[in-house]
Amino acid sequence: MRDVAEGAGVSVATVSLVVNNKKDARIGAGTRKRVLETIRELGYRPNALAKNLVSGSSRFIGLVADAIATTPFAGQIIHGAQDEAWKHGFVLLVANTEGDEPVEKDAISMMLEHKVRGILYSTWFHRPTQIPAALQETDFVLVNCFSPDSDALAVVPDEVHGGREATDILVRKGHRRIAFINATIPAPAKDGRLQGYREALESAGIAFDPHLVFDAYPDQEGGYGAVEELLKRDVTAVFCYNDRMAMGLYDGLKQEGLSIPDDMAVVGFDNQEVIAAHMRPPLSTVALPHYELGAAGVRLLLGVDEPAGSPVLKLECPPVERDSVGPITLTGSRLL
Amino acid sequence: MRDVAEGAGVSVATVSLVVNNKKDARIGAGTRKRVLETIRELGYRPNALAKNLVSGSSRFIGLVADAIATTPFAGQIIHGAQDEAWKHGFVLLVANTEGDEPVEKDAISMMLEHKVRGILYSTWFHRPTQIPAALQETDFVLVNCFSPDSDALAVVPDEVHGGREATDILVRKGHRRIAFINATIPAPAKDGRLQGYREALESAGIAFDPHLVFDAYPDQEGGYGAVEELLKRDVTAVFCYNDRMAMGLYDGLKQEGLSIPDDMAVVGFDNQEVIAAHMRPPLSTVALPHYELGAAGVRLLLGVDEPAGSPVLKLECPPVERDSVGPITLTGSRLL
DNA sequence: GTGAAAGCGCTAACAT
DNA sequence: ATGTTAGCGCTTTCAC
């Protein structure tokens, strides 16, 4: 910067003024041009480190994630956070903790030392979490998780709404005997989606039948294994806890010689692109708003979004209709 | 820091020495203890910004990616890079460009302004690339891509080796008529895997038959659509360009009433966990070393690994054997 | 063993 | 309209 000042025959202050083009400081048109030229000639770049030091805080936003690798989900959160941060002139500092506490502590320390504007603390699946002590030293928002015993800002998917949407896809096509294969694993998703399922049935005037709900491990094998039980239920449609279960279910159904959606309508949950969009037939499902989770997280952090009412913001899970759900057909329905 | 110095009744210089526990500077045991205590009491954290300003360069490593979101792959690269960087006391600065040139330029500028130690420039699938001009201003390593017309450091998967491994899985089980469904899209992977396939056949003393190689679009639909052609070939095994094709192929095969691996052995490529590990039967495939790509990238960048010979380091693609390949059976093989 | 002081590159009063 | 100067929090000679 000093070099530029000398080169252009001005002071460093002047250079600073034109670089940041400060409004209130009037710089002579000639001077400005001269400075700009010198900058180009010298290939000068401002030193963000020094800039931040002066201002006392950086343009960093920290993102600590418990599992960058395991799923595509974390990637989406990072992506959303990164885009939104960028939009406001911030950069993402990413740390992966793999759920390891000491690592997490180090990661947060490091971010604090870099005087981050704030920290996004994210988990790869929606769940309650403890807030690490060090987090309190700065602004933070929980992403895809929440603290049951604090009023920390958080943003999570609206599981109930998602469950309702998923069920509605089926209801709208005329299905009335709709099974729900829930997960065996306790989670906000398990309870929320079930509640959404019940709400959707109720709105449609369909009585809730507990025999139509059963549990399975939420992966392909779980879905495959659920087929036998399912076929005892005399249903025309199934709502699966997630896409992976739906994938296994497809296999089982096909093996029984059943066709989708004619013999059985299927909807999943998660909208895992690699899977859902390319199954045969493509799977109707409900999307988990991971990208939006990340983006909303930084908006909350930066205060551009205000938390309305509750400190935990719930994001909608939009339905994604593909071809695994059709109307009940006379020929197809095993019930007729 | 000044507060700590005052609190402990020493100078800031002493505090600095204690904090970084410098070897050569002898600090009285009592003084050290006193300083450490004061630090704890005051909850002091060193300011990384200031530290970096003095040292002139930061402990940042930049990672610019063209697609964080699209696939789980990018996530793995980030993860590997992050772990390795962390190991050496560096932090990852992540930028997603979505392939947009201006964004990419900004991202690199920002990293340069933050005086990063170097930049990892990564793409989500293995391909040739142009080196953005600004990159040259710092140390950089190409990850999952390479520059045909420069000797820039790069680290990429060894496609030929991968193709050989995939084919070998089949060969080892006694298969001799092995089809290869290649991609329609030009890429290092297309050429490399084909070459690997040929090499593996040759090593096994199997004559290469061009009729056993054909092209399809590298996704589920492509795999499904390839079934008809495939069944004309009188083969007992197929090597698919990627797991997604294998997934579609499964559907097609099952629809024909064929069973895997008894009627047809299948191997994929990529080892996309969500898919491969949970297909029925679980898919034998070859893993793309994304995590290692990221990790090796930072090692190359930091100079802990030296490029041996060529500036482009090729990483092995390890085979992952599951259950989609069995020995040729008398009952199963359609040829007998 | 420990302190004083210079300086990293920049910004923001305050002068001129 | 532009220059001077005092720090931002830290490291690092060099004295004592």
Side-chain angles (χ1 to χ4, degrees):
Chain A
M1 178 155 178
R2 213 179 33 227
D3 296 345
V4 175
E6 277 172 19
V10 297
S11 76
V12 291
T14 308
V15 177
S16 172
L17 293 180
V18 337
V19 167
N20 304 305
N21 46 132
K22 287 281 178 192
K23 268 321 207 185
D24 47 346
R26 295 102 21 148
I27 301 289
T31 315
R32 150 167 281 115
K33 190 155 155 288
R34 200 144 30 86
V35 173
L36 257 17
E37 252 163 33
T38 320
I39 287 181
R40 192 144 355 97
E41 279 168 22
L42 269 48
Y44 162 83
R45 283 189 193 280
N47 182 329
L49 266 28
K51 195 181 280 196
N52 289 334
L53 176 56
V54 171
S55 72
S57 93
S58 70
R59 303 295 287 181
F60 293 130
I61 289 177
L63 171 55
V64 356
D66 66 346
I68 271 181
T70 331
T71 65
F73 294 160
Q76 294 279 14
I77 294 179
I78 297 183
H79 187 210
Q82 139 82 39
D83 279 3
E84 189 69 26
W86 195 267
K87 208 176 288 176
H88 300 282
F90 283 84
V91 203
L92 262 207
L93 227 47
V94 178
N96 180 228
T97 66
E98 220 57 57
D100 183 311
E101 277 227 37
V103 172
E104 182 174 289
K105 197 153 167 283
D106 282 357
I108 297 178
S109 286
M110 168 252 114
M111 287 174 178
L112 257 18
E113 290 173 13
H114 280 95
K115 296 278 175 284
V116 292
R117 176 52 235 283
I119 294 180
L120 260 37
Y121 184 84
S122 82
T123 52
W124 75 270
F125 75 98
H126 181 185
R127 62 177 175 84
T129 190
Q130 297 296 329
I131 301 175
L135 259 195
Q136 313 272 10
E137 291 183 42
T138 183
D139 291 344
F140 67 94
V141 359
L142 305 176
V143 174
N144 210 20
C145 53
F146 59 96
S147 165
D149 34 42
S150 102
D151 53 353
L153 286 182
V155 40
V156 299
D158 187 338
E159 305 283 0
V160 177
H161 169 263
R164 225 183 302 131
E165 290 290 350
T167 312
D168 269 347
I169 294 177
L170 267 5
V171 168
R172 275 199 301 274
K173 293 285 189 177
H175 294 275
R176 300 191 57 88
R177 286 193 59 78
I178 302 171
F180 175 37
I181 313 184
N182 205 350
T184 42
I185 298 172
K190 177 178 164 71
D191 303 335
R193 292 173 198 178
L194 174 59
Q195 190 189 328
Y197 164 76
R198 298 187 63 157
E199 289 182 9
L201 292 183
E202 188 171 0
S203 304
I206 302 172
F208 170 70
D209 177 353
H211 294 97
L212 263 37
V213 176
F214 46 104
D215 295 351
Y217 193 82
D219 68 357
Q220 281 93 324
E221 286 75 11
Y224 183 81
V227 171
E228 193 184 348
E229 278 294 299
L230 184 69
L231 294 182
K232 293 182 189 159
R233 286 339 197 246
D234 279 345
V235 299
T236 62
V238 211
F239 161 27
C240 294
Y241 177 81
N242 67 19
D243 292 349
R244 297 179 56 177
M245 268 170 79
M247 186 174 160
L249 191 72
Y250 266 47
D251 277 335
L253 255 19
K254 288 177 184 170
Q255 196 159 309
E256 296 288 334
L258 266 23
S259 103
I260 303 160
D262 290 339
D263 296 320
M264 185 73 75
V266 179
V267 332
F269 205 111
D270 287 358
N271 193 32
Q272 279 201 277
E273 291 288 349
V274 238
I275 299 182
H278 300 279
M279 285 163 56
R280 311 196 60 84
L283 179 68
S284 292
T285 187
V286 156
L288 241 19
H290 285 107
Y291 180 94
E292 273 305 326
L293 245 24
V298 341
R299 277 195 304 265
L300 232 43
L301 183 68
L302 297 181
V304 340
D305 277 8
E306 291 294 328
S310 159
V312 7
L313 178 63
K314 297 196 178 181
L315 263 34
E316 294 200 346
C317 302
V320 179
E321 301 205 34
R322 288 191 269 247
D323 310 322
S324 60
V325 178
I328 303 196
T329 59
L330 280 175
T331 55
S333 171
R334 294 175 302 108
L335 266 47
L336 303 177
Chain B
M1 177 153 178
R2 210 175 39 219
D3 295 345
V4 175
E6 276 172 19
V10 297
S11 75
V12 293
T14 308
V15 177
S16 172
L17 293 179
V18 171
V19 168
N20 304 304
N21 49 119
K22 286 282 178 192
K23 267 326 211 185
D24 46 347
R26 296 102 23 144
I27 302 288
T31 315
R32 149 168 283 116
K33 192 158 152 285
R34 201 147 25 87
V35 172
L36 257 17
E37 252 163 33
T38 321
I39 288 182
R40 193 145 354 99
E41 278 166 25
L42 271 48
Y44 162 82
R45 285 189 192 281
N47 181 328
L49 266 29
K51 195 180 278 195
N52 289 335
L53 174 56
V54 171
S55 72
S57 94
S58 71
R59 303 294 288 182
F60 293 130
I61 289 177
L63 171 55
V64 357
D66 65 347
I68 270 181
T70 332
T71 65
F73 294 161
Q76 294 278 15
I77 294 180
I78 297 182
H79 188 208
Q82 139 81 39
D83 279 3
E84 189 69 26
W86 196 269
K87 208 175 291 178
H88 300 281
F90 283 83
V91 201
L92 262 207
L93 229 46
V94 179
N96 180 228
T97 65
E98 223 56 56
D100 182 312
E101 277 226 38
V103 172
E104 181 173 290
K105 197 152 167 281
D106 282 357
I108 296 176
S109 286
M110 168 251 112
M111 288 174 177
L112 258 17
E113 291 175 12
H114 280 93
K115 297 278 175 286
V116 293
R117 176 51 236 283
I119 294 180
L120 260 35
Y121 183 86
S122 83
T123 52
W124 75 270
F125 74 98
H126 182 187
R127 62 177 175 82
T129 190
Q130 298 295 329
I131 301 175
L135 258 195
Q136 312 270 12
E137 291 184 42
T138 183
D139 291 345
F140 68 93
V141 175
L142 270 21
V143 173
N144 211 20
C145 54
F146 57 96
S147 166
D149 33 44
S150 102
D151 53 356
L153 286 182
V155 41
V156 299
D158 188 337
E159 305 283 0
V160 177
H161 169 263
R164 225 183 302 129
E165 290 290 348
T167 312
D168 269 346
I169 294 176
L170 268 5
V171 168
R172 274 200 302 273
K173 294 285 188 177
H175 293 275
R176 299 191 58 87
R177 288 194 57 80
I178 302 171
F180 175 36
I181 313 183
N182 206 350
T184 42
I185 299 172
K190 178 177 161 74
D191 302 336
R193 292 172 197 180
L194 175 59
Q195 190 189 329
Y197 164 78
R198 298 188 62 158
E199 289 181 10
L201 292 183
E202 189 170 359
S203 304
I206 302 171
F208 170 70
D209 176 353
H211 293 97
L212 264 34
V213 176
F214 45 105
D215 294 351
Y217 192 83
D219 67 358
Q220 280 94 322
E221 285 77 10
Y224 183 82
V227 170
E228 192 184 351
E229 277 292 299
L230 183 71
L231 295 182
K232 293 182 188 158
R233 278 358 190 238
D234 279 348
V235 297
T236 62
V238 211
F239 162 25
C240 294
Y241 177 80
N242 66 19
D243 292 350
R244 297 180 56 177
M245 269 171 78
M247 186 175 160
L249 190 73
Y250 266 47
D251 277 335
L253 254 18
K254 287 176 184 173
Q255 194 159 312
E256 295 288 334
L258 266 24
S259 102
I260 303 159
D262 290 339
D263 296 320
M264 186 74 74
V266 179
V267 330
F269 206 112
D270 285 359
N271 194 32
Q272 279 200 278
E273 290 288 350
V274 238
I275 299 181
H278 301 277
M279 285 165 55
R280 312 194 58 85
L283 179 69
S284 292
T285 186
V286 156
L288 242 20
H290 284 107
Y291 179 94
E292 273 305 327
L293 245 24
V298 342
R299 278 196 301 266
L300 232 43
L301 183 67
L302 296 181
V304 340
D305 277 8
E306 291 293 328
S310 160
V312 6
L313 178 62
K314 298 198 178 181
L315 261 35
E316 294 200 347
C317 301
V320 179
E321 301 205 35
R322 286 191 270 248
D323 310 321
S324 60
V325 178
I328 304 195
T329 60
L330 279 174
T331 56
S333 171
R334 293 174 303 108
L335 266 48
L336 301 179

